[in-house]
């Protein structure tokens, strides 16, 4: 068992990868804080889109998506609105087959949908998540109100819309003979047999080459021989898989999902214990009421976790996300806010795996 107790923050696909790492490996991830997510953008294509508005990434102080627009708050304090109907052309291809809005395999899910300005919607999914939220409330890290029926209806409606739209996209892909593995209804015995016969080349042909890779880096982290590299583009293998290794195929969030983690799409927001609307009593910097930042503060302050994996912005490349692991709450606060593009979130865990401090 790892001496590290790590909290991870991620989107639904990244949280699924973390859940599969827990399922198939001795993972150091102890707490999963999932984000609501409709889609993410390609950083490169976002740069190209901004050029059409005579803007650069460095001009932007803050992003927000709301009411059918991408709102860009500029450093000049001006606001630019880009219709989502235009911005959708820079959405990453894998997002079009995601049928999960609220990070259903997390311990706690957080997002803005359904809550008023300054508050966040928080979904408790596990006993561990419930214990964390109750502790954060008792210690005045957060304040909570019951989620109303109308708020719940709105959240379910938006989640259901995403599911139905992307199920149609999956159907179109499979009509073109591009199988979407993670949506297959297979028994665990059948999945284990498939995994035992699959390696990186199978991952490449069934996920990477058909535009289903989420760029999470789980395959890179899980590879016992460090043969897989993933940076800003597709995972690349240098060398040959050992005959008895199937790790990358097993942990990818877009290969077959074990029965215990699978969403059958009949529950728009998945299984849960309780839904609250909450706001932070400790932090104001960030988005959605700074709840993720505040929960990480609570977890670190109470030594429930030893480190957190977070996504920060590159100091030298505006809004370019990168993952890092920290136990410093000031770094957690600095990283607050949505980046709207992705990076290999599991990369920092390789230092633990390799025994590097």
């Amino acid at each position: 068992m790892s001496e590290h107790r790590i909290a991870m923050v991620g989107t639904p696909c990244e949280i699924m990868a973390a859940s599969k790492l827990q399922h198939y490996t001795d993972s150091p991830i102890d707490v999963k804080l999932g984000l609501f997510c409709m889609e993410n953008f390609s950083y490169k294509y976002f740069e190209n889109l901004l050029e059409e508005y005579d803007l650069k990434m460095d001009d932007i102080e803050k992003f927000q998506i709301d009411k059918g627009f991408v709102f860009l708050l500029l450093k000049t304090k001006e606001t630019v609105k880009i219709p989502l109907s235009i911005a959708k052309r820079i959405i990453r291809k894998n997002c079009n087959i995601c049928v999960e809005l609220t990070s259903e395999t997390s311990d706690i899910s957080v997002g803005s949908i359904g809550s008023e300005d300054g508050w966040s919607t928080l979904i408790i999914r596990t006993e561990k998540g419930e214990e964390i939220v109750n502790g954060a409330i008792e210690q005045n890290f957060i304040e909570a109100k019951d989620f109303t029926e109308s708020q719940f209806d709105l959240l379910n409606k938006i989640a259901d819309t995403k599911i139905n739209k992307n199920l149609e996209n999956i159907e179109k892909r499979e009509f073109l003979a591009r199988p979407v593995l993670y949506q297959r209804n297979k028994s665990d015995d059948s999945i284990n047999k498939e995994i035992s016969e699959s390696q990186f080349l199978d991952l490449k042909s069934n996920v990477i080459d058909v535009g289903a890779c989420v760029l999470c880096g789980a395959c890179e982290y899980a590879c016992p021989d460090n043969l897989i590299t993933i940076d800003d583009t597709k995972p690349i293998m240098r060398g040959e898989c050992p005959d008895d290794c199937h790790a990358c195929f097993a942990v990818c969030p877009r290969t077959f999902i074990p029965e215990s983690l699978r969403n059958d799409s009949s529950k728009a927001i998945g299984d849960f214990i309780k839904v609250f609307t909450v706001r932070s009593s400790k932090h104001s910097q960030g988005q959605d009421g700074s709840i993720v930042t505040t929960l990480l503060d609570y977890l670190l302050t109470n030594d429930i976790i030893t480190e957190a994996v977070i996504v920060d912005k590159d100091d030298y490349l505006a809004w370019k996300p990168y993952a890092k692991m920290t136990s410093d709450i000031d770094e957690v606060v600095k990283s607050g806010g949505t980046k709207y593009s992705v990076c290999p979130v599991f990369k920092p865990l390789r230092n633990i795996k390799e025994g590097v401090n």
Side-chain angles (χ1 to χ4, degrees):
M1 181 66 68
S2 172
E3 64 188 42
H4 297 269
R5 304 182 308 279
I6 295 172
M8 173 178 167
V9 180
T11 59
C13 54
E14 293 165 348
I15 293 296
M16 177 58 76
S19 299
K20 292 186 78 176
L21 282 166
Q22 290 174 322
H23 186 86
Y24 289 113
T25 73
D26 182 16
S27 172
I29 297 168
D30 191 53
V31 177
K32 295 172 293 185
L33 302 180
L35 305 173
F36 293 7
C37 181
M38 289 296 290
E39 65 269 314
N40 266 304
F41 300 135
S42 159
Y43 185 87
K44 178 181 177 181
Y45 292 160
F46 209 154
E47 285 185 309
N48 295 340
L49 177 62
L50 289 178
E51 287 180 5
E52 298 177 20
Y53 291 80
D54 295 321
L55 294 172
K56 297 179 180 178
M57 284 288 194
D58 197 44
D59 297 327
I60 299 170
E61 182 73 29
K62 183 179 178 181
F63 289 100
Q64 187 165 349
I65 296 178
D66 191 28
K67 297 181 173 67
F69 288 90
V70 178
F71 290 89
L72 309 177
L73 176 62
L74 306 184
K75 292 177 180 177
T76 61
K77 304 307 177 185
E78 298 173 271
T79 298
V80 174
K81 293 196 306 183
I82 302 176
L84 274 177
S85 57
I86 293 175
K88 70 179 183 180
R89 72 174 188 254
I90 65 171
I91 294 172
R92 300 187 73 240
K93 288 182 180 179
N94 75 83
C95 295
N96 293 326
I97 57 169
C98 175
V99 293
E100 191 181 340
L101 176 72
T102 60
S103 296
E104 297 170 26
T105 61
S106 61
D107 295 296
I108 302 166
S109 303
V110 178
S112 60
I113 298 171
S115 290
E116 59 192 277
D117 289 346
W119 292 72
S120 297
T121 300
L122 183 149
I123 305 173
I124 299 172
R125 300 196 182 275
T126 65
E127 291 182 3
K128 180 184 294 181
E130 186 173 34
E131 185 177 345
I132 291 167
V133 172
N134 287 341
I137 292 171
E138 289 169 7
Q139 294 185 26
N140 296 317
F141 277 79
I142 62 174
E143 57 178 301
K145 299 187 296 187
D146 287 337
F147 213 50
T148 67
E149 185 176 348
S150 61
Q151 289 174 316
F152 194 81
D153 288 345
L154 176 61
L155 177 58
N156 268 287
K157 179 180 178 181
I158 293 175
D160 199 50
T161 297
K162 177 176 179 177
I163 290 171
N164 291 329
K165 181 182 75 172
N166 287 350
L167 282 174
E168 290 179 7
N169 291 332
I170 288 172
E171 187 175 343
K172 290 175 184 176
R173 280 207 188 193
E174 297 204 320
F175 181 76
L176 297 172
R178 293 182 173 183
V180 179
L181 300 191
Y182 91 105
Q183 277 296 293
R184 296 300 170 92
N185 186 14
K186 296 170 72 72
S187 68
D188 282 349
D189 286 344
S190 178
I191 289 173
N192 290 336
K193 183 175 185 300
E194 293 272 6
I195 290 173
S196 71
E197 297 171 351
S198 300
Q199 296 181 306
F200 182 80
L201 287 179
D202 301 282
L203 184 68
K204 185 175 185 297
S205 61
N206 285 289
V207 176
I208 301 168
D209 289 349
V210 298
C213 174
V214 305
L215 208 70
C216 66
C219 56
E220 178 187 46
Y221 167 71
C223 179
D225 297 307
N226 295 328
L227 300 176
I228 300 173
T229 301
I230 178 169
D231 292 310
D232 293 332
T233 56
K234 299 175 181 178
I236 298 170
M237 168 162 278
R238 294 180 172 86
E240 294 185 10
C241 290
D243 290 340
D244 60 348
C245 183
H246 319 281
C248 63
F249 192 88
V251 301
C252 174
R254 289 294 182 255
T255 59
F256 305 109
I257 305 297
E259 292 176 281
S260 62
L261 302 177
R262 190 180 305 151
N263 170 22
D264 64 7
S265 300
S266 67
K267 301 175 183 177
I269 64 169
D271 293 322
F272 62 91
I273 296 172
K274 179 78 174 178
V275 183
F276 286 115
T277 182
V278 298
R279 70 178 175 185
S280 174
S281 303
K282 295 280 187 178
H283 301 283
S284 59
Q285 180 179 333
Q287 200 161 302
D288 298 339
S290 300
I291 292 302
V292 170
T293 298
T294 304
L295 289 175
L296 291 176
D297 187 356
Y298 168 78
L299 290 167
L300 287 166
T301 298
N302 288 274
D303 197 32
I304 297 169
I305 60 171
T306 54
E307 302 101 348
V309 173
I310 58 176
V311 175
D312 204 350
K313 295 177 293 191
D314 194 303
D315 290 335
Y316 304 101
L317 197 57
W319 289 97
K320 183 70 172 175
Y322 75 98
K324 66 180 181 182
M325 190 162 58
T326 184
S327 58
D328 186 343
I329 188 58
D330 289 337
E331 288 192 340
V332 172
V333 172
K334 175 180 172 290
S335 72
T338 305
K339 314 302 183 294
Y340 291 115
S341 56
V342 296
C343 65
V345 292
F346 296 102
K347 193 175 285 290
L349 297 184
R350 293 188 69 180
N351 289 338
I352 291 177
K353 184 178 166 185
E354 295 165 5
V356 178
N357 292 323

